[in-house]
Amino acid sequence: MSQTDALEADVAGLPDFRRMPVPDAIRWLAEHGEPADPRPDIDTASLVRRFPHLAGVGTVDDIVEGPHGPVPVRRYRDAAATPAGRALVWVHGGAFIGGHLDMPESNWVARELAARGIPVVAVDYTKCLGDAHYPVPSDDVLAAWRWARNAAGELLGVDAASLLLGGASAGATLAAGAVTRLRDAGEPLPGGLVLVYPLVHPNGPAASAELDLSSPSGQLSLNFAGSTETLADPQAFAGLDDGHGFPPTLIVVCEHDELRPSGEAFAATLERAGADVAVHLEPGARHGHIDEPSDPTAARTIAAVADWLLARE
């Protein structure tokens, strides 16, 4: 939730989860569910009015059967756009405890890419509330990935090798972890990986496995992992891996983001492993900026992601 969102939430009488202790926020969300976003201008109709080039993007909602139950996904495609020849499975963030397919980080980003000829499958996943922890949300992302890859031609108009995977924040954690799991299982990897302001280490601000459980970041990582043992698992936190065998990867980091060290350290790891890795630093941006369509840094980041996707061979 951005500072603007927090003010609007206060006006709407909703809790500001940024200011709540992490255990309290988790308990509240588990009991009440995620409240409606108070912003009046982020629904699809408002986005199309603000960004007319999105008008041609069509969507189809689907359900993928995962090992823990149904996984909601949404397909985006613009029939009038020049096909880019590649497509993206995209996973939103939300600190592993929130987020959904209608948030701008999912819906707006997917529409912007689809309008550029890049079809998108946006994925929702089980939140780490109550007894749900890793690998449940990771399993959901893998189920959606395999579903999209197995029918890439029919669903998205591309061959399986031209399907890429990506995510933002917690979604980037899940996307990077999914690549590690696919590689370790000997399954085909995505044609590329997009990580926007990723958390790929248990301690993102320090880019390390040494966790400060008194910090909100540490508490959220442990809540995702579910155990101290999982905190050391590179399939959960890909920053702990040596990076071998990763596909071409774009990592977007923000100038003003305490998690920036995690993304930059992972880029260095991938480079040492011989991977094709690019880092895009968004000047002036803060964590979560692509969830705010009015933020000029958000449009720049989406354009950078699109340019990188379009350049894939």
Side-chain angles (χ1 to χ4, degrees):
M1 183 181 285
S2 68
Q3 292 179 347
T4 300
D5 300 343
L7 292 174
E8 291 174 339
D10 287 344
V11 171
L14 298 172
D16 176 2
F17 298 108
R18 295 182 319 130
R19 299 173 187 162
M20 292 175 68
V22 169
D24 292 347
I26 293 171
R27 281 193 295 270
W28 196 96
L29 288 167
E31 181 178 352
H32 300 283
E34 188 164 359
D37 194 310
R39 291 175 288 179
D41 57 354
I42 60 166
D43 60 285
T44 296
S46 296
L47 290 173
V48 170
R49 284 195 295 271
R50 294 166 69 183
F51 308 106
H53 61 278
L54 304 182
V57 177
T59 63
V60 177
D61 284 357
D62 283 307
I63 294 292
V64 175
E65 290 304 321
H68 309 285
V71 179
V73 299
R74 181 177 297 161
R75 289 184 277 140
Y76 293 79
R77 201 169 178 183
D78 188 336
T82 301
R86 60 204 114 279
L88 179 69
V89 174
W90 177 249
V91 190
H92 66 77
F96 309 107
I97 60 175
H100 48 78
L101 293 178
D102 292 321
M103 66 189 295
E105 193 175 77
S106 184
N107 184 46
W108 178 51
V109 171
R111 289 179 184 276
E112 287 285 356
L113 296 176
R116 292 167 165 86
I118 305 166
V120 176
V121 173
V123 182
D124 205 356
Y125 50 88
T126 303
K127 307 308 181 294
C128 293
L129 303 169
D131 295 329
H133 306 284
Y134 180 87
V136 175
S138 179
D139 288 344
D140 289 348
V141 170
L142 280 175
W145 164 258
R146 290 167 177 143
W147 171 82
R149 190 182 191 283
N150 288 340
E154 175 187 352
L155 296 174
L156 301 166
V158 301
D159 59 75
S162 299
L163 185 62
L164 291 80
L165 177 62
S169 194
T173 312
L174 295 170
V179 169
T180 307
R181 295 181 68 185
L182 289 166
R183 181 204 62 195
D184 292 351
E187 294 187 52
L189 297 183
L193 179 64
V194 177
L195 305 176
V196 178
Y197 38 76
L199 168 74
V200 286
H201 300 81
N203 185 333
S208 77
E210 298 300 321
L211 207 60
D212 176 8
L213 290 178
S214 67
S215 71
S217 177
Q219 292 167 0
L220 288 168
S221 289
L222 180 58
N223 179 64
F224 164 62
S227 70
T228 55
E229 291 78 14
T230 303
L231 289 170
D233 187 347
Q235 293 190 344
F237 295 97
L240 305 179
D241 189 71
D242 64 8
H244 76 277
F246 261 65
T249 299
L250 170 67
I251 298 178
V252 176
V253 295
C254 306
E255 181 180 9
H256 307 297
D257 181 7
E258 69 170 6
L259 297 183
R260 175 178 169 182
S262 185
E264 291 178 334
F266 191 47
T269 295
L270 293 178
E271 187 173 9
R272 286 193 298 270
D276 174 1
V277 58
V279 177
H280 174 80
L281 169 63
E282 193 60 70
R286 298 183 182 277
H287 191 85
H289 68 288
I290 62 170
D291 195 45
E292 181 45 75
S294 64
D295 187 335
T297 66
R300 294 202 302 262
T301 291
I302 294 172
V305 169
D307 288 346
W308 186 84
L309 290 169
L310 291 169
R312 296 300 91 203
E313 295 182 356

